[in-house]
């Protein structure tokens, strides 16, 4: 097995555990579930769920049935909810793997009831109500029909849930509207064991806690807010190796399309990170192109020219005295640049950065001695 990898992702499971316990402190009386979809936001499903389970996490949310099946291989006892609903023909797979679909329509509820009655199985599915995000879930005007459908069959369901649209801005008045609406829903479906509304940002809105909260990005150290400082510890760092270091002259062009012209003699580096690895070729309108940078031994190095499929070009002039050389690691995000700062410079959100970066990286873990590394 090769040990010199072009990209490295380090996952600090101790900080993950700290973040999880911070959510428990924020939400006393509510169970804290973990959203682990997209391979635990790119952090590695097996190691993340094992550590969270050791901290007392007993409920997990994934997006797809396939993710649920993968998680069930790692976790025999925890309850696993599948957010994207119940596709026809997958009922028996949910039973075999003991997965709980999050039902979003009358047809799904009908399928579930018919299957549970035929199999004499309690099931324990969730019901998703749309209180304002207008994505998945029952419309409010459908709740009367839903209540009638599940009457006498409540044992097939154990959770009613919804999702906040604007929790990343706690001052947004629509948060109060959705919370008030969901309190009414909770009263209407009071016979169900639990209710859940809050994700990471919603955990800071006390009336949104109910019986279960389900943080995602905050667990992994991303900032769930648009204009508040990050209350969580960073979990993920990403590094790429230098493939070449060379000196170019004032007036030279770099990259496809000769998109960047050097304004001075410069020390240039090429790193093993490109758009196929999640590093964007084009920045978003919200990006600050001049602030897209990586770090070499704590020194900032701007990304110049166009990002290629497998490589990016950086200006190492500020670190020339440190004599960067072939094979050295360059920080993409980590101690010098948080995932939030990287996301802001690119023009996206930390969720997108974390799930995209490092697709060809080797993971290493802090806080899990039994799992020194996993290959993606």
């Amino acid at each position: 097995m090769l040990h010199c990898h072009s990209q490295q992702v380090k996952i600090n499971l101790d900080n993950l555990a700290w973040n999880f316990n911070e959510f428990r402190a924020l939400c006393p009386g509510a169970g804290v579930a973990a959203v682990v979809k997209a391979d635990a936001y790119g952090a590695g499903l097996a190691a993340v769920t094992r550590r969270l389970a050791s901290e007392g996490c007993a409920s997990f949310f994934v997006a797809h049935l396939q993710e649920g099946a993968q998680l069930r291989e790692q976790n025999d006892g925890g309850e696993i909810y599948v957010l994207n609903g119940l596709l026809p023909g997958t009922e028996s797979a949910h039973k075999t793997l003991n997965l709980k679909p999050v039902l979003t329509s009358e047809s799904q509820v009908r399928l579930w009831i018919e299957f549970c009655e035929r199999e004499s199985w309690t099931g324990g599915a969730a019901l998703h109500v749309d209180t304002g995000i207008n994505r998945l879930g029952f419309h409010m005007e459908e709740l009367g029909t839903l209540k009638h459908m599940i009457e006498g069959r409540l044992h097939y369901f154990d959770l009613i849930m919804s999702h906040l649209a604007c929790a990343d801005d706690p001052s947004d008045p629509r948060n109060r509207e959705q919370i008030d609406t969901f309190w009414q829903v909770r009263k209407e479906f009071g016979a169900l064991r639990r209710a859940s509304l809050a994700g990471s940002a919603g955990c800071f809105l006390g009336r949104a806690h109910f019986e279960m909260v389900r943080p995602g990005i905050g667990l992994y150290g991303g900032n769930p807010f648009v204009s508040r400082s990050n209350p969580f510890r960073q979990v993920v760092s990403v590094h790429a190796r230098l493939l070449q270091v060379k000196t170019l002259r004032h007036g030279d062009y770099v990259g496809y399309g000769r998109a960047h012209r050097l304004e001075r003699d410069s020390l240039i580096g090429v790193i093993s990170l490109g758009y196929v690895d999640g590093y964007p070729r084009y920045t978003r309108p919200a990006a600050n192109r001049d602030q897209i940078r990586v770090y070499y031994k704590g020194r900032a190095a701007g990304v110049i020219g166009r990002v290629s499929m497998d490589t990016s070009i950086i200006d190492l002039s500020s670190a020339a005295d440190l004599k960067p050389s072939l094979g050295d690691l360059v920080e993409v995000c980590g101690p010098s640049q948080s995932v939030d700062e990287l996301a802001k410079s690119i023009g996206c959100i930390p969720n997108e950065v974390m799930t995209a970066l490092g697709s060809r990286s080797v993971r290493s873990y802090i806080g899990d001695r039994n799992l020194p590394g996993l290959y993606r």
Side-chain angles (χ1 to χ4, degrees), residues 260-271:
H260 182 86
R261 183 178 184 271
L262 296 176
E263 299 298 326
R264 60 179 181 177
D265 293 353
S266 303
L267 186 67
I268 299 302
V270 181
I271 60 171

Side-chain angles (χ1 to χ4, degrees), residues 152-171:
R153 304 178 176 94
L154 289 173
H155 48 288
Y156 299 145
F157 312 93
D158 71 356
L159 175 69
I160 192 159
M161 59 180 282
S162 190
H163 194 61
L164 291 166
C166 306
D168 57 346
D169 180 3
S171 65

Side-chain angles (χ1 to χ4, degrees), residues 187-201:
K187 290 177 182 177
E188 286 294 312
F189 292 83
L192 292 178
R193 184 164 64 99
R194 291 177 301 187
S196 178
L197 178 63
S200 293

Side-chain angles (χ1 to χ4, degrees), residues 5-12 41-43 234-241 271-274 277-279 293-296 328-339 342 350 352-364 376:
H5 299 275
S6 296
Q7 300 157 22
Q8 294 184 4
V9 176
K10 293 184 179 180
I11 315 296
N12 190 320
Y41 284 58
Q234 186 158 305
V235 172
V236 177
S237 62
V238 180
H239 291 77
R241 291 196 184 275
I271 60 171
S272 59
L273 189 76
D277 306 300
Y279 212 54
R293 54 177 63 101
V294 295
Y295 287 80
Y296 179 81
D328 289 350
L329 286 172
V330 173
E331 177 193 318
V332 181
C333 65
S336 300
Q337 175 173 245
S338 71
V339 67
L342 174 59
E352 187 173 352
V353 169
M354 292 184 61
T355 55
L357 274 180
S359 60
R360 295 188 291 191
S361 303
V362 61
R363 295 194 190 100
S364 61
R376 302 181 68 172

